[in-house]
């Protein structure tokens, strides 16, 4: 199956408006019909911006290590592309299948064995965001383990294939859905995130 093509420059303008984007027409998070073809269309280029690759939560009593609840880090993105079902206008669609590899850390102030992980998939065309889908997963934390790893369920995102199936007209950005306060914290405190891609 074709791999995603990494891109280092897309999504540089996303950070300021993560919470205000509205979902529009063609992006879907469906997980039902899976139509395949011998020659899969090209995948969109993708990136995980460093500022939205980490999420640290606190108990509200301080921002030092003693008050940390959980830390979530995107370590990798895996996925592929295949021919999807046509849309209502009978246009050919590319079905992008995406899963995130996460590292989860239990903080000293953690008081339960689950962590809620909100993350987004945004679609860009010619450098502009045209759509966005937000997902939320609840992940169990092993009670006796401080650091664990998990993968999100495979998500299906359908985008128009375009005139040339060998070149996708879209790019894709993936990251953790952060509040403005969490984003400001990442800008001020966190190192640049390191992640890598996988091919199924």
């Amino acid at each position: 199956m074709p791999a995603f093509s990494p891109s280092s420059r897309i999504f540089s303008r996303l950070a300021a408006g993560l919470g205000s984007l509205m979902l529009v027409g063609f992006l879907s998070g469906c997980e039902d019909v899976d139509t395949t073809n011998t020659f899969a269309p090209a995948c969109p280029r993708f990136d995980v911006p460093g500022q939205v690759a980490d999420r640290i939560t606190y108990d509200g009593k301080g921002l030092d290590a003693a008050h940390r609840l959980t830390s979530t880090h995107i370590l990798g993105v895996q996925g592929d592309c295949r021919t999807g079902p046509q849309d209502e206008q009978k246009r050919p669609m590319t079905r992008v299948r995406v899963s995130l590899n996460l590292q989860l850390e239990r903080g000293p102030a953690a008081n339960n064995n689950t962590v809620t992980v909100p993350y987004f998939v945004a679609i860009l065309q010619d450098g502009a965001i045209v759509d966005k889908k937000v997902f939320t997963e609840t992940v169990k934390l092993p009670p006796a383990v401080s650091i664990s790893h998990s993968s999100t369920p495979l998500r299906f995102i359908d985008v128009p294939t375009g005139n040339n199936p060998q070149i996708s007209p879209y790019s894709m950005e993936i990251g953790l859905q952060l509040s403005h306060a969490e984003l400001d914290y990442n800008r001020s405190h966190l190192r640049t995130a390191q992640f890598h891609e996988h091919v199924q």
Side-chain angles (χ1 to χ4, degrees):
M1 296 181 183
F4 292 122
S5 299
S7 171
S8 60
R9 292 191 297 271
I10 64 174
F11 307 133
S12 60
R13 299 188 300 274
L14 178 72
L18 289 178
S20 61
L21 297 176
M22 295 185 63
L23 187 63
V24 295
F26 65 77
L27 179 63
S28 63
C30 56
E31 300 181 9
D32 44 14
V33 180
D34 189 11
T35 304
T36 60
N37 202 339
T38 303
F39 298 100
C43 280
R45 293 173 299 146
F46 88 101
D47 189 24
V48 178
Q51 292 180 340
V52 290
D54 303 280
R55 181 172 184 255
I56 300 176
T57 61
Y58 292 90
D59 63 4
K61 300 176 182 179
L63 295 179
D64 54 56
H67 296 289
R68 182 166 51 86
L69 295 173
T70 59
S71 300
T72 304
H73 311 281
I74 297 178
L75 297 184
V77 176
Q78 60 183 8
D80 59 20
C81 291
R82 55 184 59 194
T83 300
Q86 293 183 339
D87 68 1
E88 295 179 354
Q89 287 76 41
K90 304 299 182 183
R91 294 181 299 177
M93 303 291 284
T94 297
R95 173 152 290 179
V96 186
R97 308 194 307 170
V98 177
S99 175
L100 276 63
N101 298 330
L102 304 174
Q103 177 176 295
L104 308 165
E105 300 179 23
R106 179 193 300 275
N111 52 16
N112 59 53
N113 293 326
T114 62
V115 57
T116 299
V117 181
Y119 64 98
F120 67 87
V121 177
I123 303 298
L124 283 78
Q125 185 176 25
D126 298 326
I129 298 171
V130 296
D131 220 332
K132 177 184 176 183
K133 182 72 174 179
V134 178
F135 302 98
T136 301
E137 301 298 335
T138 299
V139 182
K140 291 184 178 180
L141 297 174
V145 177
S146 59
I147 298 177
S148 60
H149 295 86
S150 179
S151 294
T152 63
L154 201 63
R155 297 293 187 179
F156 296 170
I157 308 295
D158 292 340
V159 297
T161 301
N163 296 327
N164 184 355
Q166 296 181 355
I167 302 175
S168 175
Y170 299 97
S171 55
M172 181 177 292
E173 177 167 315
I174 302 165
L176 299 174
Q177 181 70 21
L178 305 178
S179 67
H180 290 295
E182 290 170 338
L183 185 59
D184 289 341
Y185 180 89
N186 285 0
R187 288 171 172 168
S188 302
H189 294 83
L190 298 185
R191 59 177 173 74
T192 302
Q194 299 296 320
F195 71 95
H196 54 276
E197 59 180 318
H198 298 272
V199 182
Q200 288 186 336

